[in-house]
Amino acid sequence: MSSTRQAAILSSTVSIGCVLVSIGWGCQRERPAAQTDTSSAALPLWFVDATSDWGLDFVHQAGPTGGYFMPQIMGSGLAVLDFDNDGRWDLYFVQNGGPSSGQPNRLYRQLPDGRFADVTSGSGLDVTGYGMGVAVGDANNDGWVDVVVTEYGRTRLFQNRGDGTFREIPQAFTSPLWATSAAFVDYDRDGWLDLVVTNYVAYDPARVCYGSRGQPDYCHPVNFDGTVTRLYRNVSFRQPEHVQFEDVTQASGLGRLAGPGLGVICADFDGDGWPDIFVANDSHRNHLWINQRDGTFREEAILRGVAYNVMGQAEAGMGIALGDVDGNGLFDLFVTHLTEETHTLWLQSPQGRFADRTARLGLHRSRYRGTGFGTVMVDVDQDGWLDIAVANGRVTRHPAALPSVAPDQFFVPYQERNQLFWNKGQGEFQDVSLANPALCDQPGVWRGLVAADLDNDGVPELIVTSIAGPARIFRNVAAARGSSLQLRLLTRDGRRDAYGAELWVEAAGRRWYRLLQPAGSYLCSGDPRIHVGLGTLTAIDRLVVRWPDGQYEQFPGGPVPAIRLCRQGSGTPLPNYR
Amino acid sequence: MVVTTLMCRRRWFVVCLVAAVAAGGLALVRWWQQPDYPVPPEIPDDAIDEEIVRFLHQLRQEVLERPEVGERWGKLAMALRAHDFAQECILCFQQAARLDPEDPRWPYLEGLSIYLYDRGKAMDKWEQALARCRSTADALQVHLRLGEAALLEGDWPSAQRHFAAVLQQQADHPRALVGRARLACLQEQWHDALRDLEIPRQDERTQKQAWQLVAEIYYQLRQPQAAQAAERQAAALPDDPPWPDPFVEQVMRLRVGRLARLQAAQELIRQQSYLLALEILDTLISRYPDDPAIQLAYAQALLGLGQPSRAEQLLRQLLRHHPSFPSAHFYLGNALLLQHRLLEASQSYRQVAELLPVHAQALFNLGHCLHQAGEVPQAIEAYRTLLQRRPEHGAARWALAELLAQHGRPADARAELEELLRQQPDHRKARQLLQQLPP
């Protein structure tokens, strides 16, 4: 055998060995050759990992591994909330180790020095279960936020006592479905926040699924029936000291169509001033429930172009972000999907009609791919254009993973990297993941993702959860940040955030359009304030708000950067604006 | 004499030496000129289905024996791909393509394998495949793949070119027409798109997606009634079947192992080919006697063949080992129902509903069993429980409405029928019964 051959065989053996070792010990990262792009050095560094600076020590408990219990791989979310009304943002993290895990969900209170202290014990939110998502809203208009936790097999309601603790309302919801994302929305515009809960599949835990190589793995949702999204009408007006909901799923029409729902967002999709409901379904066409203004909804996803991608294919919808990425004054819709698919962006134009423009806007040219879950649109560099962040992590083992790994490495074959897309203007995106290693170069099975200005400095941080891993806080350190405006929009009595309010900011001949809706992303509830990046501007001309009851008001402009508060009734009424 | 002999021997020695050197040199040259073949990838065999491992090892051995044969590399590549060895198959496809330069399968399948990570390179591979295509059918397949990939990439001119190439060969090709219609929609050429969809909406392979697109187009054209009519038309149709890909089908035929066989048996059960399913399951059950999924499929096949008592026996045995297996309880209920043992069957269905409250079919069958057994209030309760948990279940709503109507509760029946008709406007029986109900 020639030395050339010997060398070749030796090197190939070493290479294969290295490949296998790297696969087995932690890579699972899809690194195409093209990603060795030297130009990444010129791209913006936006985030650093500041988890320990904030004193956050949350580690997600996923329960026993090896049984491939499907709720485990769907992960859990988090909420940003001010549960004690001290003006500082607190955090609530959901666990899914199971009812007998002894690992309750965790509540962290932010201390005056900005660090987080674990105050779970005795909070009333210290419950265990196969926890999935969380929604936050003041359900009885008493000025204290209440909490809804979704689980595999039930949905739970916790009323804020107003003393820093919560009490669970037993049997508030009786649905045994596998609940995932939830959102508070005042769909009937009666001034009380109603609740939408998406449900996933009619999962049978006794079912064992296998990958093509014959190894056991988590099941694909197509193995089970999808289930309906539930709508609960808030009837707490009957007795405000007790939060109460009525199941109107059937009466509203939402009970007529089932789907494997994972993500939900509530916004006015057709411009009539009434909130609609978009549900991202996993491997099934999406649903868009258009509010008929009489307590019922009509499903119009196909007609309005958001049921499928550009090829007419139903993709595996997970997380959702909504925002005006191209500055045309209309919301656009972004939904995360599987590695094999694309994360898809539908542009809205004209009003109420959407078209998949993922490729045209450059989002298909990512440096690497991933199975996306949590996602947010946030103007990280405050240049006036919404950027997009995506939390990724597989749901089935990476095909190149070794068939068996050590128990403490169980989730390694599911790890992927997060992604960050910079909006260069008018919705043209560039992948800046490689320039942001803190956020994007840590392999994990990432799930929940929210943006929140935790330190009230006017600039949002990102908070991410991962399966069986620590939650992370990424501080925004964008160097060439523009100015910004951060607004809190409150209801007429000033007691709660006006979920569903829409905002227009006018300055220097341009308009920014934003929505107040903390629910979205995946299994999460974020900062209820609106953040608007304004680039080089130093002042705004005026603000216009459409309140959830459909009334318009304008508020005077002023210098920026600023953090402002607008209460309904304190502005100048406008007959119309759009 | 001695000198002559010595010279003679020396001559022979020189001749032999020269001949040996020449032969050695020749062999060396031949060996040197021989192409250098890479070693096929190792097959990791830890915890993978043994049958898959054996099969892949056998194909790998065949490559090692004749590494100059492209077909062998190609078969190994396809088998690797069929079992999700996505990285390992790429080298093999490349070797197959090098050694077998006429065959379009290898670059085509390599393109599919790398598409996930490098779409541009994958499309280059498909272009190479296209250049190798000798048959029209193969070329159409590759053009379609390229056209749709170009559409996803936002490369509209390329998409247009490939769809046009297909339509030049076959002007009524429904999939290419749908592709061209989608392209027209992206360019807001709504009427062109509608024209292109005339044939696809008649073709059972594309009709549902075509009608859905028609609905979207009419909506864009601000013709909401036409849009809703098209949407209803689409909703009433079954899902379009997957469009066959002859290259991928060759890959799928190479799947072996427990899962592949079980899925084949389940597919046969779905097609009601129970005897064929049992042939596969007999082999599987002898190899994996304790596998609950195989036993369950076996019981399903027996039920399909009308042998409920044998199925019952098997399911009871299965439940002894797996008492919390909802599907086993469910099929046991079905076996008992087929034997008209209604109360026992209802017990099984109740067991399922306890283990898995969202199991719609168990609650539906429970309602049916109780109705048959004359337990009307309990049957109504079962249907109501199901509809509370799974309100989309049209069959349960219809059964409940019928039951209520039969037992003198027209107002309740009317409410259920009206809801059913909101859900399924074309439900003729519901409409008829509604008309027959007293006001």
Side-chain angles (χ1 to χ4, degrees):
Chain A
M1 189 180 285
S2 72
S3 59
T4 319
R5 284 196 173 187
Q6 281 174 330
I9 289 168
L10 187 64
S11 66
S12 59
T13 308
V14 169
S15 313
I16 290 169
C18 290
V19 166
L20 293 176
V21 166
S22 64
I23 287 164
W25 292 103
C27 64
Q28 304 321 320
R29 291 185 257 167
E30 290 138 10
R31 291 177 184 275
Q35 76 183 43
T36 52
D37 181 358
T38 49
S39 65
S40 65
L43 296 173
L45 169 69
W46 282 346
F47 291 104
V48 294
D49 188 339
T51 314
S52 56
D53 298 350
W54 294 92
L56 183 69
D57 60 0
F58 174 77
V59 178
H60 180 256
Q61 301 295 326
T65 55
Y68 299 96
F69 180 56
M70 200 178 168
Q72 183 171 59
I73 200 63
M74 304 315 291
S76 312
L78 82 141
V80 177
L81 73 172
D82 182 7
F83 75 93
D84 53 359
N85 279 347
D86 66 353
R88 288 184 291 271
W89 295 109
D90 312 305
L91 297 173
Y92 183 57
F93 292 94
V94 180
Q95 301 275 32
N96 74 359
S100 54
S101 64
Q103 297 287 344
N105 299 343
R106 295 269 163 197
L107 180 65
Y108 287 85
R109 181 165 178 258
Q110 195 179 163
L111 303 174
D113 67 0
R115 291 172 66 84
F116 287 100
D118 187 336
V119 294
T120 306
S121 183
S123 66
L125 291 177
D126 48 344
V127 295
T128 56
Y130 298 113
M132 304 295 299
V134 55
V136 172
D138 179 4
N140 56 347
N141 291 341
D142 65 350
W144 298 88
V145 286
D146 308 299
V147 171
V148 166
V149 175
T150 61
E151 294 183 353
Y152 166 69
R154 63 178 165 175
T155 303
R156 305 168 81 168
L157 173 63
F158 299 88
Q159 184 176 340
N160 194 326
R161 287 193 171 106
D163 61 356
T165 67
F166 291 79
R167 74 179 179 97
E168 181 168 10
I169 311 284
Q171 296 292 302
F173 310 108
T174 55
S175 165
L177 300 178
W178 175 355
T180 51
S181 294
F184 278 103
V185 56
D186 184 7
Y187 80 93
D188 52 2
R189 302 207 320 195
D190 66 350
W192 297 82
L193 287 175
D194 311 297
L195 181 73
V196 186
V197 180
T198 51
N199 294 289
Y200 195 35
V201 291
Y203 173 58
D204 176 357
R207 172 122 191 208
V208 183
C209 295
Y210 296 88
S212 299
R213 295 183 182 189
Q215 79 283 16
D217 208 339
Y218 295 100
C219 288
H220 191 282
V222 295
N223 290 293
F224 311 100
D225 290 343
T227 54
V228 300
T229 293
R230 296 239 172 225
L231 180 62
Y232 299 98
R233 181 167 177 250
N234 192 334
V235 291
S236 305
F237 51 80
R238 292 175 187 160
Q239 208 180 355
E241 60 273 22
H242 296 290
V243 179
Q244 272 182 287
F245 288 91
E246 195 174 80
D247 189 339
V248 293
T249 307
Q250 192 60 49
S252 66
L254 265 70
R256 287 178 204 140
L257 265 184
L262 284 179
V264 66
I265 201 152
C266 300
D268 178 11
F269 278 77
D270 59 349
D272 67 350
W274 290 72
D276 310 303
I277 301 166
F278 175 82
V279 178
N281 285 316
D282 189 354
S283 305
H284 184 91
R285 74 178 181 86
N286 299 318
H287 292 153
L288 175 57
W289 296 98
I290 297 293
N291 195 326
Q292 303 298 296
R293 301 178 244 172
D294 58 0
T296 68
F297 290 79
R298 210 186 107 77
E299 204 287 306
E300 296 187 355
I302 290 175
L303 299 181
R304 294 176 186 275
V306 290
Y308 301 102
N309 72 358
V310 69
M311 283 305 303
Q313 297 157 335
E315 296 181 295
M318 261 85 78
I320 307 169
L322 192 76
D324 179 11
V325 298
D326 58 351
N328 71 343
L330 298 167
F331 291 130
D332 309 303
L333 181 70
F334 182 72
V335 179
T336 53
H337 297 114
L338 288 175
T339 309
E340 294 79 4
E341 302 166 342
T342 54
H343 302 328
T344 303
L345 179 62
W346 288 269
L347 286 190
Q348 185 179 181
S349 180
Q351 187 160 62
R353 292 168 178 79
F354 293 80
D356 174 356
R357 300 293 191 196
T358 310
R360 208 189 86 186
L361 301 181
L363 281 165
H364 68 310
R365 286 191 292 267
S366 56
R367 310 306 302 176
Y368 49 86
R369 308 175 67 79
T371 293
F373 282 86
T375 179
V376 290
M377 284 184 186
V378 59
D379 187 356
V380 180
D381 57 346
Q382 303 186 157
D383 64 351
W385 300 96
L386 289 170
D387 311 299
I388 295 177
V390 179
N392 287 320
R394 296 182 63 87
V395 285
T396 52
R397 296 164 61 84
H398 192 286
L402 284 175
S404 61
V405 290
D408 62 337
Q409 301 281 307
F410 180 83
F411 287 105
V412 168
Y414 300 87
Q415 290 180 339
E416 285 181 329
R417 292 178 292 165
N418 297 327
Q419 288 169 294
L420 196 55
F421 299 95
W422 173 31
N423 187 340
K424 296 195 289 184
Q426 263 90 28
E428 192 191 331
F429 287 91
Q430 181 176 348
D431 188 343
V432 292
S433 307
L434 295 181
N436 283 276
L439 175 67
C440 301
D441 201 27
Q442 297 185 51
V445 195
W446 304 105
R447 290 294 182 257
L449 169 63
V450 295
D453 178 11
L454 292 176
D455 51 4
N456 292 327
D457 66 349
V459 183
E461 280 74 43
L462 293 184
I463 311 159
V464 195
T465 64
S466 66
I467 295 177
R472 304 260 183 210
I473 301 175
F474 296 99
R475 190 192 299 278
N476 185 333
V477 293
R481 275 199 311 245
S483 65
S484 72
L485 177 66
Q486 191 152 266
L487 282 123
R488 189 152 196 190
L489 304 178
L490 298 178
T491 52
R492 201 172 284 277
D493 61 7
R495 285 184 156 190
R496 69 167 173 85
D497 293 293
Y499 288 12
E502 292 170 53
L503 170 80
W504 290 265
V505 177
E506 292 181 359
R510 197 186 145 189
R511 277 199 324 184
W512 286 262
Y513 176 46
R514 299 286 185 267
L515 170 74
L516 196 176
Q517 178 48 267
S521 185
Y522 172 72
L523 306 177
C524 285
S525 184
D527 190 336
R529 292 168 301 182
I530 293 176
H531 170 259
V532 188
L534 294 165
T536 54
L537 295 178
T538 54
I540 56 165
D541 302 332
R542 69 164 177 168
L543 305 170
V544 175
V545 179
R546 183 167 73 180
W547 297 101
D549 62 5
Q551 294 185 13
Y552 289 91
E553 277 182 347
Q554 66 171 338
F555 294 84
V560 288
I563 298 179
R564 286 178 61 170
L565 189 147
C566 298
R567 186 169 53 78
Q568 184 172 10
S570 65
T572 309
L574 280 179
N576 206 334
Y577 179 70
R578 273 184 188 272
Chain B
M1 186 69 188
V2 173
V3 172
T4 311
T5 308
L6 272 174
M7 282 183 65
C8 195
R9 279 184 184 168
R10 194 174 294 161
R11 196 176 301 136
W12 273 112
F13 175 74
V14 170
V15 167
C16 286
L17 189 67
V18 167
V21 168
L26 194 64
L28 195 67
V29 166
R30 283 178 65 98
W31 184 84
W32 188 254
Q33 285 175 338
Q34 219 174 28
D36 206 0
Y37 301 107
V39 178
E42 294 289 343
I43 314 297
D45 54 3
D46 177 21
I48 300 178
D49 189 317
E50 277 177 24
E51 194 182 347
I52 297 174
V53 174
R54 273 201 307 277
F55 180 56
L56 293 175
H57 274 303
Q58 179 201 323
L59 295 179
R60 185 175 183 275
Q61 191 55 40
E62 285 172 15
V63 170
L64 286 170
E65 284 164 11
R66 297 281 306 278
E68 74 282 7
V69 181
E71 181 74 25
R72 291 189 176 198
W73 281 97
K75 192 172 178 191
L76 174 61
M78 290 197 293
L80 286 165
R81 181 165 168 76
H83 297 98
D84 225 359
F85 290 88
Q87 298 297 321
E88 291 85 347
C89 72
I90 291 169
L91 168 82
C92 302
F93 278 129
Q94 287 168 349
Q95 279 303 306
R98 189 169 70 88
L99 297 167
D100 190 3
E102 301 290 310
D103 197 323
R105 286 178 297 174
W106 317 131
Y108 180 86
L109 292 169
E110 188 194 343
L112 276 186
S113 305
I114 60 175
Y115 183 68
L116 180 56
Y117 305 107
D118 193 340
R119 291 184 172 195
K121 199 171 165 191
M123 290 171 78
D124 290 345
K125 292 288 170 189
W126 292 333
E127 291 283 3
Q128 289 171 21
L130 191 59
R132 293 174 173 212
C133 286
R134 296 290 169 264
S135 84
T136 306
D138 284 354
L140 292 189
Q141 176 60 37
V142 184
H143 273 303
L144 285 170
R145 179 71 70 179
L146 275 163
E148 289 169 358
L151 195 54
L152 271 171
E153 288 296 291
D155 182 358
W156 297 351
S158 294
Q160 182 74 46
R161 183 164 52 85
H162 288 293
F163 293 136
V166 177
L167 293 167
Q168 200 174 6
Q169 291 290 330
Q170 191 185 331
D172 60 350
H173 195 292
R175 186 168 150 193
L177 285 167
V178 170
R180 200 167 69 177
R182 291 194 190 284
L183 198 53
C185 286
L186 285 168
Q187 295 165 87
E188 301 187 0
Q189 295 162 354
W190 310 114
H191 293 286
D192 290 351
L194 278 179
R195 259 195 310 279
D196 273 342
L197 291 169
E198 279 170 17
I199 289 170
R201 64 192 193 187
Q202 314 291 333
D203 191 299
E204 63 180 17
R205 295 167 296 177
T206 51
Q207 55 185 348
K208 193 174 182 99
Q209 55 178 309
W211 277 109
Q212 285 172 338
L213 200 50
V214 167
E216 194 181 333
I217 293 166
Y218 277 128
Y219 200 76
Q220 290 283 355
L221 291 169
R222 299 184 187 279
Q223 298 179 34
Q225 286 182 339
Q228 284 168 17
E231 193 186 21
R232 275 199 302 276
Q233 184 83 25
L237 292 167
D239 286 345
D240 295 335
W243 193 276
D245 180 331
F247 298 116
V248 173
E249 279 169 8
Q250 288 184 46
V251 172
M252 297 314 285
R253 279 199 287 272
L254 291 173
R255 287 187 68 206
V256 297
R258 175 197 164 280
L259 181 65
R261 289 173 198 275
L262 180 58
Q263 285 177 343
Q266 285 166 335
E267 178 58 24
L268 288 166
I269 291 170
R270 201 185 59 78
Q271 294 169 14
Q272 302 184 351
S273 302
Y274 302 113
L275 282 172
L276 288 174
L278 276 182
E279 274 181 33
I280 298 173
L281 289 165
D282 273 326
T283 315
L284 274 174
I285 218 158
S286 61
R287 193 172 294 173
Y288 308 96
D290 301 322
D291 190 312
I294 294 168
Q295 290 176 14
L296 189 73
Y298 206 101
Q300 281 177 265
L302 289 173
L303 285 172
L305 282 172
Q307 299 181 22
S309 60
R310 272 189 71 194
E312 180 192 346
Q313 203 180 352
L314 182 60
L315 288 161
R316 287 198 188 281
Q317 193 182 324
L318 175 57
L319 283 166
R320 269 198 291 279
H321 295 101
H322 303 276
S324 301
F325 191 0
S327 296
H329 284 288
F330 174 72
Y331 285 106
L332 176 60
N334 288 359
L336 295 164
L337 182 60
L338 282 172
Q339 296 172 74
H340 302 287
R341 289 152 65 184
L342 298 174
L343 292 177
E344 285 175 83
S346 62
Q347 276 170 5
S348 286
Y349 294 133
R350 279 206 171 92
Q351 186 73 35
V352 182
E354 202 166 298
L355 288 166
L356 201 59
V358 293
H359 198 299
Q361 201 57 38
L363 279 166
F364 182 78
N365 287 10
L366 175 62
H368 174 74
C369 258
L370 293 167
H371 182 197
Q372 295 294 308
E375 305 281 355
V376 173
Q378 288 183 50
I380 290 173
E381 191 191 331
Y383 288 134
R384 285 209 189 283
T385 304
L386 166 55
L387 288 168
Q388 203 275 327
R389 292 174 188 174
R390 305 283 301 275
E392 77 281 9
H393 205 290
R397 202 170 292 284
W398 166 244
L400 175 61
E402 258 195 317
L403 195 57
L404 291 165
Q406 284 164 10
H407 290 82
R409 293 169 64 178
D412 291 342
R414 179 180 298 280
E416 297 302 339
L417 289 168
E418 283 171 351
E419 178 54 34
L420 180 57
L421 285 167
R422 279 193 287 273
Q423 195 174 337
Q424 298 174 27
D426 300 326
H427 200 298
R428 283 187 197 158
K429 286 182 177 176
R431 203 166 290 282
Q432 280 169 2
L433 182 57
L434 191 62
Q435 283 166 358
Q436 289 162 12
L437 286 176

